[in-house]
Amino acid sequence: MERTRAVLIDIDGVLTVSWKPLPGTVAAMEQLRAAGLRLALVTNNTSRTRAAIAARLAALGFPVDAEDILTAPAATAAYLREHFPGARCLLLSSGDVHDDLTGVTLIDEGDADVVVLGGAGPEFGYESLNRVFRQLQRGAQLVSMHRNLYWRTEGGLDLDTGAFLEGLEKASRTEAEVTGKPAQAFFASALAHLGVDAPEALMIGDDIESDVLAAQRSGVTGVLVRTGKYAPETHRSASGTPDHVLDSFADLPALLLAGSHADSNTGSGDSPGT
């Protein structure tokens, strides 16, 4: 772990749940900052802008600002500007992320060139989904900020965009371009933002597929935490094995700064538990 110069950190389920800090996470981030590690908070959160996320986390005590936040909406905007300049885009998303979609033409009426899906919420009703389906039938391209199936709240697991996206793909016989995690381009953008190479970075998250294994496919060390949406059965059935497993983000400084495993729960050979 001595080569690690930067840490990519998921937010929901790793640092917070329903915007309440998990035990020890603020202190752990302060330790990483004090050690001089470069940090980027990489999130598929599509209900708040980078500035709003940074302000909320800073109010909770986390040492972050907007420049530390990399979001799926911002990555989506970059993708649309590059691949569909000037396109008419229909956005279906819960929450307001318009400020992060700079340079993108959003429409409320008429035919769209591109349908963009953000995070799921009350807006994902039958009428809205059917409108998306009809746009896809007439040839609109499909772009999704992520394909997470669910996420953790203080009330339990809630459905997310991926649960609806798979149905839309099958019904319209198309495949979405995903711009947030687990897209390789998203991790490449984060590494470029931090100015490090993949072997010098570590990704810590609670989603074994989208956070951890996707990062490992990009050459980044992957660390899974047993908080948030973590479930032993998902761990057991995953498509690969995390480089490390920790009980919490609070255990990360011991892994990184001591240069050794934080405890017996850490390491690539870990059991998912019961």
Side-chain angles (χ1 to χ4, degrees):
M1 306 299 290
E2 292 123 355
R3 296 184 60 193
T4 301
R5 297 173 55 210
V7 182
L8 311 180
I9 308 165
D10 184 32
I11 299 174
D12 291 326
V14 176
L15 299 178
T16 65
V17 169
S18 294
W19 296 104
K20 295 180 181 178
L22 290 167
T25 55
V26 172
M29 184 176 288
E30 290 173 340
Q31 285 182 271
L32 299 182
R33 286 283 194 207
L37 289 165
R38 303 177 188 182
L39 307 181
L41 278 62
V42 291
T43 176
N44 279 346
N45 185 299
T46 55
S47 62
R48 297 173 185 264
T49 63
R50 297 171 64 203
I53 291 172
R56 187 69 180 266
L57 290 173
L60 296 174
F62 290 100
V64 299
D65 58 35
E67 290 301 310
D68 299 316
I69 313 294
L70 302 179
T71 67
T76 301
Y79 176 83
L80 292 171
R81 290 194 301 267
E82 178 181 356
H83 296 278
F84 299 101
R88 291 165 54 85
C89 299
L90 172 64
L91 173 66
L92 178 59
S93 183
S94 183
D96 185 8
V97 292
H98 285 68
D99 287 349
D100 277 354
L101 295 174
T102 54
V104 177
T105 301
L106 299 176
I107 63 169
D108 293 320
E109 299 179 349
D111 291 334
D113 303 308
V114 183
V115 171
V116 182
L117 299 185
E123 295 81 0
F124 276 58
Y126 178 81
E127 184 176 348
S128 297
L129 289 169
N130 201 45
R131 182 186 179 196
V132 166
F133 174 53
R134 288 179 174 175
Q135 293 288 341
L136 297 176
Q137 283 182 297
R138 56 166 296 279
Q141 300 296 307
L142 179 58
V143 173
S144 184
M145 297 185 189
H146 62 79
R147 60 185 319 129
N148 295 350
L149 293 171
Y150 49 82
W151 61 298
R152 171 72 65 180
T153 71
E154 59 186 354
L157 295 177
D158 283 359
L159 286 175
D160 211 339
T161 304
F164 304 95
L165 178 60
E166 291 194 18
L168 287 170
E169 287 177 319
K170 289 181 180 179
S172 61
R173 295 186 176 88
T174 190
E175 185 173 344
E177 182 68 34
V178 178
T179 51
K181 297 177 293 183
Q184 301 298 292
F186 188 86
F187 290 102
S189 176
L191 294 173
H193 176 76
L194 292 172
V196 299
D197 295 327
E200 299 174 307
L202 176 150
M203 171 73 208
I204 182 164
D206 65 328
D207 188 317
I208 190 169
E209 297 289 349
S210 293
D211 292 339
V212 180
L213 299 182
Q216 290 178 195
R217 286 192 291 272
S218 294
V220 175
T221 298
V223 178
L224 177 67
V225 289
R226 293 189 177 104
T227 55
K229 68 172 66 173
Y230 175 86
E233 58 271 22
T234 305
H235 189 170
R236 283 191 293 267
S237 62
S239 62
T241 303
D243 291 317
H244 302 276
V245 181
L246 297 174
D247 283 336
S248 167
F249 179 79
D251 297 323
L252 185 60
L255 173 66
L256 286 176
L257 306 182
S260 61
H261 291 177
D263 56 32
S264 60
N265 292 325
T266 310
S268 59
D270 296 340
S271 165
T274 58

